[in-house]
C-alpha cells in the first residue's frame, strides 16, 4: 500500500522523497474528463458526492499540546503556508513569504520547489525560517518557477521532530507530489487506522500524511479528481497547497475554517498565502480568497488557471480567532482588515464594560494594541504604551524554579512606571486562556505602582478547546470553563474584569456572524471528531 513522505530524522534538512505505491491488483481506470472554466471565481465541478459520516464523539483537544510556558498563555497557531508559481525566483520568494508568516509557526520550516526538469526538491529543517535557510546554498538548491513552503508551530516542551516538518514530499506511481497543510483533521485517527489495516506505512505523526495516502490509493484520474476524492473523506480544517512537476493546487475545506488567499505579482506569477501580509512583502497584489470548498489549479507551463468545486456547499465557518489574535494587524483575513476588526472589538468592549474611574488605557503587547486603542477612543481615556514586550527572552519554562520563571516574565513584559505609577489603569488583552499570564500582569502593574488595575478582554470567555488547528488546553485547564467572571477576577487579582460578550461580538459582524466559527466561546462545533471504528487486520501472506 501507500508509503508516505519520508524525512531524515538526524540531519537538519532533507531532500529525499519516498515512493508511494498502490496495490499491484488495483485496476487503473480509464481517464475521466472534467470541464473546467478558467475564471477568477469558483466554477462547479460536476461529480458525485458522498455524505459525510456522522460525528460520534465529544469535543476535546485531539493532540497532546503542552502548556509548560506559563508566561505565554495565548492560544497558539500551528502553521502557515505559502506558494508561488510562474516566477524564476520562486523559492526565494517563498522564503520571504515564510519569513512574514513566521508568527504562525516557529518549530520548523521547509520549501519544495519544482524545477524545469520536472523534479521536485525539498529542504526542511528545525527552527526559524532564517535558521533553516541561513545557508544560501540551501535556497540555491531549490531551482524552478514553482515552490510551496510551510512554517510549523512548536508545542513548548515537546521534542521537535524533523519528520513532521512540512512540506511532505513523496513519489507515487503517477509522479512526485509535495503538500503543505494548515489546519487539523478531526477524523485523522479513524482514517489512519483504516489505511494501516490495509497495509499503509506511516513515517510521521502528522495528520497531513493521511492526505498523501488517500491521494495515492484513489482510483480516480487525473490528479485533480484524486485530490477531490481524498478531500471528500477528510473532516475538519484544511488549507492545502500541492505541488507537482507542472502544477500548483490550492485547496480550502468546505467550511473555510483557516484562511488562504491568492494574489499576483507584476510579472504575472500567482501567489497563495495564509495571510495577505506575505503577499505585500513580495509586491503581490491581493486578488481574493480561495473560496471554502474550492480547488484552484495553476499550470506553470502556460499560467492558465482553473477552479473547481471540491464538495457540496457547507455553511462558512471562518475562525474568529484569526481576527482576535493570530493574524498580523496589517493582513486582510476573511475579507476584513484585521486592525479594523480589533479596533471595533475595543470600542464595543468600552460600551459593554466601561471603566469610569480609570486614568489610562494600556495594551498587552502585541495583539492587544488595536483593541486597547479602540477602547481608549470610545471611552475618551488616554492611550499609552504601558507595557513593553521584549522579544528575545526565550521560553521561561526552561528556568529551574518557579521563582526564577516568575522573574523571567519581566524579560518579556516590562512596565513603564511613568505611565502606570499612581494611576488607575485599564489593561486590554485579546483573551484569557488559563489565567496564568493575566495574574502575572496584574502583579507586575501593582508592583509598578498602579493604584487600580482593570482587566478588559476583547473576546468572550474561552470555554471550549479548538478542534480545527489552534492549540488550546483541555477544557479542564480553561479558567473560564471552571469559574464565572467574578471567580476569574478573584483568581487573577484585578479590581474589575470585563469580557466582550458573544452577542456583542456577533453584532460587530452583522449578517456575517453566522459565518464565524466561535466554538471556543460557544462550544457549538461545526464538525465533531469521529470515533475510530475497529477495522479488521490484514493477514500476512507469510503467516501460516
Amino acid at each position: 500500500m501507500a508509503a508516505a513522505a519520508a524525512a531524515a530524522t538526524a540531519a537538519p534538512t532533507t531532500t529525499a522523497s519516498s515512493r508511494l505505491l498502490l496495490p499491484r491488483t488495483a485496476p487503473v481506470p480509464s481517464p475521466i474528463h472534467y470541464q473546467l472554466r478558467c475564471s477568477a471565481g469558483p466554477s462547479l465541478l460536476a461529480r458525485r458526492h458522498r455524505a459525510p459520516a456522522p460525528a460520534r464523539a465529544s469535543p476535546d483537544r485531539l493532540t497532546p499540546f503542552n502548556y509548560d510556558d506559563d508566561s505565554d498563555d495565548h492560544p497558539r497557531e500551528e502553521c502557515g503556508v505559502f506558494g508561488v508559481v510562474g516566477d524564476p525566483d520562486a523559492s526565494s520568494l517563498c522564503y520571504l513569504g515564510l519569513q512574514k508568516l513566521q508568527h504562525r509557526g516557529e518549530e520548523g520550516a521547509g520549501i519544495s520547489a519544482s524545477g524545469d526538469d520536472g523534479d521536485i526538491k525539498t529542504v526542511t529543517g528545525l527552527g526559524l525560517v532564517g535558521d533553516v535557510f541561513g545557508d544560501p546554498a540551501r535556497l540555491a538548491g531549490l531551482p524552478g518557477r514553482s515552490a510551496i513552503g510551510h512554517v510549523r508551530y512548536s508545542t513548548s516542551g515537546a521534542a521537535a521532530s524533523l519528520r513532521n516538518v512540512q512540506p511532505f514530499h513523496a513519489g507515487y506511481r503517477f509522479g512526485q507530489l509535495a503538500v503543505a497543510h494548515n489546519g487539523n483533521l478531526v477524523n485523522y485517527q479513524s482514517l489512519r487506522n483504516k489505511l494501516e489495516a490495509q497495509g499503509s506505512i506511516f513515517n510521521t505523526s502528522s495528520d497531513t500524511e493521511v492526505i498523501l495516502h488517500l491521494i495515492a490509493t484513489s482510483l480516480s484520474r487525473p490528479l485533480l479528481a484524486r485530490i477531490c476524492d481524498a478531500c471528500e473523506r477528510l473532516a475538519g480544517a484544511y488549507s492545502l497547497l500541492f505541488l507537482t512537476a507542472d502544477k500548483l493546487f490550492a485547496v480550502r475545506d468546505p467550511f473555510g475554517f483557516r484562511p488562504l488567499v491568492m494574489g499576483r505579482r507584476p510579472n504575472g506569477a500567482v501567489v497563495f498565502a495564509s495571510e495577505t501580509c506575505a503577499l505585500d512583502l513580495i509586491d503581490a497584489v491581493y486578488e481574493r480568497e480561495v473560496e471554502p470548498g474550492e480547488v484552484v489549479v495553476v499550470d506553470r507551463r502556460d499560467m492558465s488557471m482553473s477552479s473547481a468545486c471540491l464538495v457540496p456547499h457547507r455553511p462558512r465557518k471562518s475562525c474568529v480567532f484569526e481576527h482576535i489574535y493570530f493574524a498580523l494587524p496589517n493582513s486582510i483575513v476573511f475579507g476584513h482588515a484585521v486592525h479594523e476588526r480589533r479596533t471595533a472589538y475595543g470600542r464595543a468592549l468600552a460600551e459593554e464594560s466601561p471603566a469610569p474611574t480609570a486614568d489610562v488605557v494600556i495594551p498587552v503587547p502585541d495583539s492587544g494594541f488595536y483593541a486597547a486603542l479602540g477602547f481608549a477612543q470610545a471611552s475618551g481615556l488616554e492611550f499609552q504604551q504601558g507595557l513593553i514586550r521584549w522579544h528575545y527572552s526565550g521560553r521561561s519554562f526552561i528556568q529551574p524554579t518557579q521563582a526564577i520563571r516568575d522573574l523571567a516574565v519581566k524579560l518579556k513584559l516590562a512596565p513603564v512606571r511613568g505611565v502606570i505609577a499612581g494611576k488607575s489603569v485599564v489593561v486590554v488583552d485579546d483573551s484569557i486562556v488559563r489565567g496564568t499570564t493575566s495574574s502575572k500582569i496584574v502583579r507586575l502593574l501593582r508592583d509598578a505602582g498602579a493604584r487600580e488595575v482593570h482587566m478588559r478582554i476583547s473576546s468572550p470567555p474561552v470555554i471550549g478547546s479548538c478542534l480545527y488547528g489552534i492549540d488550546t488546553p483541555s477544557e479542564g485547564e480553561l479558567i473560564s470553563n471552571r469559574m464565572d467572571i467574578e471567580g476569574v477576577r478573584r483568581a487573577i487579582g484585578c479590581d474589575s474584569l470585563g469580557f466582550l460578550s458573544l452577542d456583542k461580538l456577533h453584532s460587530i459582524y452583522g449578517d456575517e456572524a453566522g459565518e464565524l466559527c466561535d466554538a471556543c466561546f460557544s462550544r457549538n462545533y461545526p464538525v465533531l471528531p469521529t470515533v475510530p471504528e475497529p477495522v479488521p487486520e490484514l493477514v500476512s501472506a507469510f503467516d501460516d
Side-chain angles (χ1 to χ4, degrees):
M1 280 293 182
T9 56
T13 61
T14 178
T15 58
S17 64
S18 297
R19 179 67 56 186
L20 284 168
L21 297 176
L22 288 178
R24 294 184 179 180
T25 57
V28 179
S30 59
I32 302 173
H33 300 287
Y34 296 89
Q35 297 297 320
L36 296 177
R37 179 175 72 240
C38 295
S39 169
S43 61
L44 294 179
L45 175 64
R47 5 187 17 259
R48 67 178 184 273
H49 301 287
R50 294 182 292 272
R56 297 182 296 275
S58 298
D60 202 350
R61 60 179 180 177
L62 302 181
T63 46
F65 298 125
N66 189 328
Y67 263 73
D68 289 336
D69 184 1
D70 59 7
S71 69
D72 187 2
D73 195 28
H74 292 98
R76 300 163 191 171
E77 180 59 87
E78 287 194 79
C79 48
V81 298
F82 187 91
V84 58
V85 55
D87 196 292
D89 296 318
S91 59
S92 295
L93 293 173
C94 202
Y95 165 78
L96 292 172
L98 293 180
Q99 288 270 28
K100 198 63 176 179
L101 298 175
Q102 186 72 86
H103 60 287
R104 301 183 73 93
E106 299 181 2
E107 180 187 83
I111 295 174
S112 294
S114 177
D116 293 336
D117 58 359
D119 188 34
I120 296 177
K121 293 182 172 63
T122 297
V123 174
T124 62
L126 297 174
L128 303 179
V129 177
D131 298 331
V132 175
F133 295 99
D135 183 351
R138 292 178 180 168
L139 278 180
L142 295 170
R145 299 179 63 85
S146 303
I148 62 172
H150 188 272
V151 287
R152 184 171 186 267
Y153 162 79
S154 173
T155 53
S156 60
S161 172
L162 185 60
R163 288 181 179 270
N164 290 327
V165 180
Q166 299 181 31
F168 289 164
H169 173 195
Y172 74 126
R173 62 175 178 165
F174 296 112
Q176 298 181 67
L177 182 66
V179 61
H181 172 208
N182 177 24
N184 192 60
L185 305 179
V186 299
N187 63 338
Y188 155 67
Q189 196 61 56
S190 176
L191 291 172
R192 177 163 177 160
N193 289 355
K194 292 176 182 178
L195 287 163
E196 287 181 327
Q198 295 167 6
S200 292
I201 298 172
F202 284 78
N203 293 306
T204 77
S205 58
S206 170
D207 56 351
T208 308
E209 191 176 4
V210 161
I211 303 170
L212 289 175
H213 284 271
L214 293 176
I215 291 172
T217 55
S218 170
L219 299 181
S220 296
R221 298 280 297 275
L223 179 57
L224 173 59
R226 302 171 79 88
I227 290 174
C228 289
D229 278 352
C231 290
E232 279 188 342
R233 299 180 63 183
L234 305 179
Y238 52 90
S239 287
L240 300 163
L241 295 179
F242 294 98
L243 182 67
T244 68
D246 52 21
K247 291 184 176 67
L248 192 152
F249 298 77
V251 184
R252 196 162 169 220
D253 72 75
F255 291 96
F257 286 110
R258 308 254 67 82
L260 187 61
V261 297
M262 183 176 72
R264 197 179 301 266
R265 282 176 46 79
N267 63 358
V270 178
V271 184
F272 298 94
S274 292
E275 293 183 34
T276 60
C277 62
L279 305 183
D280 298 337
L281 178 66
I282 63 166
D283 296 328
V285 177
Y286 168 63
E287 290 190 352
R288 66 179 182 89
E289 292 186 285
V290 175
E291 294 296 325
E294 183 185 13
V295 185
V296 178
V297 187
V298 185
D299 192 320
R300 74 173 177 87
R301 295 168 296 187
D302 59 6
M303 293 305 295
S304 61
M305 183 182 300
S306 305
S307 67
C309 179
L310 177 66
V311 294
H313 176 71
R314 300 283 188 269
R316 181 190 282 257
K317 291 296 178 182
S318 303
C319 174
V320 70
F321 242 104
E322 291 285 351
H323 286 158
I324 291 171
Y325 173 68
F326 291 120
L328 290 183
N330 58 327
S331 285
I332 297 172
V333 175
F334 307 136
H336 294 284
V338 173
H339 77 280
E340 291 180 356
R341 295 284 95 174
R342 292 179 184 169
T343 305
Y345 301 154
R347 289 195 296 263
L349 184 60
E351 295 173 7
E352 277 200 315
S353 300
T357 64
D359 303 311
V360 64
V361 179
I362 66 171
V364 175
D366 294 316
S367 57
F369 181 90
Y370 284 98
L373 187 62
F375 191 100
Q377 291 171 349
S379 58
L381 295 173
E382 181 184 9
F383 174 86
Q384 288 279 359
Q385 193 78 16
L387 291 168
I388 306 300
R389 179 174 291 276
W390 181 251
H391 294 275
Y392 311 102
S393 59
R395 291 178 176 160
S396 60
F397 73 87
I398 63 174
Q399 303 298 336
T401 67
Q402 184 61 47
I404 296 299
R405 288 199 294 271
D406 289 344
L407 290 176
V409 174
K410 296 182 180 180
L411 282 175
K412 291 190 174 183
L413 287 175
V416 182
R417 291 182 179 272
V419 172
I420 296 165
K423 295 180 181 178
S424 176
V425 178
V426 177
V427 55
V428 180
D429 204 356
D430 59 88
S431 60
I432 294 180
V433 180
R434 294 178 304 162
T436 53
T437 297
S438 299
S439 61
K440 289 179 171 60
I441 289 173
V442 171
R443 292 201 300 271
L444 199 66
L445 294 174
R446 293 199 190 282
D447 291 345
R451 187 177 78 253
E452 295 175 341
V453 179
H454 304 278
M455 286 289 298
R456 294 296 182 266
I457 308 302
S458 61
S459 67
V462 177
I463 61 172
S465 295
C466 178
L467 308 183
Y468 311 119
I470 295 174
D471 174 0
T472 47
S474 62
E475 292 185 354
E477 298 174 84
L478 299 173
I479 190 170
S480 292
N481 193 48
R482 305 193 317 268
M483 305 177 184
D484 60 13
I485 293 179
E486 175 58 22
V488 175
R489 185 201 66 77
R490 290 195 300 268
I492 65 178
C494 57
D495 294 284
S496 72
L497 172 64
F499 290 87
L500 185 66
S501 71
L502 187 56
D503 287 343
K504 196 70 170 179
L505 178 67
H506 287 171
S507 72
I508 294 171
Y509 287 85
D511 294 340
E512 297 180 21
E515 299 178 353
L516 300 175
C517 177
D518 56 19
C520 51
F521 308 133
S522 65
R523 301 189 84 250
N524 294 325
Y525 292 90
V527 185
L528 293 178
T530 302
V531 175
E533 298 176 354
V535 291
E537 299 292 335
L538 288 182
V539 178
S540 170
F542 299 99
D543 291 343
D544 293 331

